Amino acid sequence: MNVLIVGDPNDPLIDQKHKAAESELKKRLFTSVGFCRHQATNQMEYFILNTIMINQCETVYLLEGWLNSTGAVRLKKLAEDFGLKIMYSLNGYWTKILNEITKISNAIESVFGFSYSKFTSKSRERNYYYARLIFFGLCRKHGYSLDLIAMLLNRDHTTAFRLNQSFDDELKFNQDFKSLNEKVLAAFSNNNPDDYLSEKECALIINKLRNNQL
């Protein structure tokens, strides 16, 4: 499988990040690893160069800091339009969180039938609310701060604080909620995200983590 590594050409650590990514990707048995670091002088040159490179690979691998580069952001969009798989480089701390959050989201989806983008919406529908509470409970169990959980749920700190109390109350007094929570916990225990972090809604979660990190 051919992969194109993309990062911020102005990043002083770009060469170091590229070498580390190249080594990691080869361990994952990618047969050909390319590296995009050009800075096009105009829109036409940008489109031509990126189209040529994208046509030569099946996957685009975005280095940490890619959001700082307008060219990298445009290339990602072009790659998505071409139907390529997108992979992301994160440091160890954020990779651990991403895997855990993805696993939580997949477990919730397996029980409720809707994805991360649905239960983090502004909808007040009961099942969306229950899913948000269960997501909150599992994140809290993993030791995430209220601020981080609030960010992941598209809420503010005050709302996250209220969810903290609501989760305990629903678990104590609401048998239907308790049953749903137990089902999600069981699904969570049997769910393992794949090595490439390519699960449903992964890109949304990554963008939240990345924006919080920058």
Side-chain angles (χ1 to χ4, degrees):
M1 182 184 297
N2 298 330
V3 59
L4 177 66
I5 300 173
V6 179
D8 176 12
N10 295 316
D11 185 346
L13 298 177
I14 188 66
D15 290 327
Q16 178 182 331
K17 291 179 180 179
H18 166 237
K19 289 179 181 178
E22 186 176 42
S23 176
E24 175 63 25
L25 290 167
K26 286 182 176 178
K27 289 178 183 177
R28 297 187 185 187
L29 303 181
F30 281 89
T31 54
S32 177
V33 179
F35 183 37
C36 174
R37 63 179 306 165
H38 71 267
Q39 294 177 298
T41 58
N42 57 62
Q43 289 293 321
M44 182 58 71
E45 181 185 349
Y46 150 80
F47 182 79
I48 293 173
L49 289 173
N50 284 354
T51 301
I52 291 173
M53 287 186 292
I54 285 175
N55 276 319
Q56 295 174 347
C57 63
E58 295 87 32
T59 301
V60 168
Y61 186 88
L62 298 171
L63 295 175
E64 189 174 354
W66 66 275
L67 278 176
N68 292 323
S69 168
T70 302
V73 172
R74 290 173 177 171
L75 190 145
K76 174 183 178 288
K77 178 62 170 63
L78 187 62
E80 290 173 334
D81 291 342
F82 275 70
L84 272 63
K85 180 178 180 179
I86 309 295
M87 294 170 58
Y88 301 82
S89 169
L90 295 168
N91 63 36
Y93 171 73
W94 290 105
T95 298
K96 176 178 179 292
I97 289 180
L98 175 60
N99 275 284
E100 290 169 351
I101 292 171
T102 303
K103 189 175 176 182
I104 292 170
S105 299
N106 284 347
I108 289 173
E109 183 173 357
S110 71
V111 173
F112 285 90
F114 46 76
S115 61
Y116 172 82
S117 61
K118 296 293 185 182
F119 68 77
T120 58
S121 69
K122 300 300 182 182
S123 173
R124 296 185 179 182
E125 184 179 327
R126 185 181 64 176
N127 278 347
Y128 287 173
Y129 172 67
Y130 283 172
R132 279 195 292 274
L133 282 181
I134 293 172
F135 180 89
F136 178 92
L138 278 167
C139 286
R140 187 179 68 175
K141 185 177 180 180
H142 279 78
Y144 300 164
S145 68
L146 285 182
D147 286 334
L148 177 56
I149 300 174
M151 177 194 69
L152 292 167
L153 285 173
N154 293 322
R155 266 62 179 180
D156 57 25
H157 179 89
T158 302
T159 302
F161 185 82
R162 288 199 299 267
L163 289 174
N164 188 42
Q165 183 60 51
S166 297
F167 176 83
D168 293 334
D169 289 343
E170 294 287 356
L171 201 60
K172 185 176 181 179
F173 300 111
N174 187 333
Q175 193 59 43
D176 290 340
F177 176 79
K178 183 177 180 180
S179 176
L180 287 168
N181 186 62
E182 289 173 351
K183 290 179 181 178
V184 172
L185 288 176
F188 177 81
S189 298
N190 296 320
N191 180 2
N192 290 296
D194 66 42
D195 291 338
Y196 300 149
L197 308 177
S198 60
E199 297 81 359
K200 292 179 180 179
E201 309 303 322
C202 189
L204 281 175
I205 299 171
I206 285 175
N207 285 337
K208 291 176 183 296
L209 295 176
R210 179 69 70 207
N211 290 336
N212 188 62
Q213 182 174 317
L214 290 173

